[in-house]
Amino acid sequence: LSHYDAEPELSTLLLEEIREIFNTHKGDKIPSADMVNKLIKNKDKPWCEHKNGRAISQSGLAKMLSIYGIKPKAIRYGNKTPRGYELKQFQDSFDRYL
C-alpha cells in the first residue's frame, strides 16, 4: 500500500484543484509545468509542502494522477509540444470522484 492510497482525500483534493485550473485556463490542454505552477500558487494548499517540505514536482503530480490512470503526454501547445494533460483525460475521474 503506497502512501498515496492511504490519503484518498488528498487525491480527491488534487482532482478538485485540477478541475478548477481547467475551469479558469484558456483551452483544454495544459503543460505539466504550468499545472504544477498553478497548483503551488496557493500557499495554503498541500502541494507547496508535498514531499519533505518541498513543492510538488511534475513527476510527483504524474505519480498522484497515475492512480486514476491519467498520464502526462506530449501535447500541442502553441508551437511547442511539451508533456502535459488534456481536459478529456480527467473527465471520467471528475465524473466518478467529484
Side-chain angles (χ1 to χ4, degrees):
L1 194 71
S2 77
H3 85 205
Y4 292 115
D5 297 334
E7 300 176 350
E9 61 284 339
L10 194 60
S11 56
T12 305
L13 179 64
L14 180 63
L15 282 181
E16 288 174 359
E17 296 277 323
I18 289 172
R19 183 170 62 180
E20 190 56 38
I21 287 169
F22 272 113
N23 285 342
T24 58
H25 180 72
K26 290 183 180 73
D28 61 352
K29 298 176 186 173
I30 187 167
S32 296
D34 291 6
M35 180 81 81
V36 166
N37 288 335
K38 289 176 187 291
L39 283 169
I40 62 177
K41 198 176 278 182
N42 184 341
K43 300 294 178 222
D44 297 332
K45 301 290 182 180
W47 325 120
C48 296
E49 295 182 3
H50 178 66
K51 198 169 185 187
N52 305 325
R54 287 202 298 277
I56 194 168
S57 63
Q58 291 180 49
S59 62
L61 175 62
K63 192 179 233 176
M64 282 192 75
L65 290 174
S66 69
I67 66 169
Y68 297 110
I70 299 169
K71 295 180 172 71
K73 59 184 186 176
I75 58 170
R76 163 89 35 213
Y77 198 74
N79 59 358
K80 296 184 172 76
T81 52
R83 293 188 67 72
Y85 300 95
E86 293 179 306
L87 177 57
K88 65 183 176 191
Q89 291 177 270
F90 292 92
Q91 214 54 66
D92 182 57
S93 295
F94 289 165
D95 294 345
R96 209 177 284 200
Y97 301 103
L98 301 183

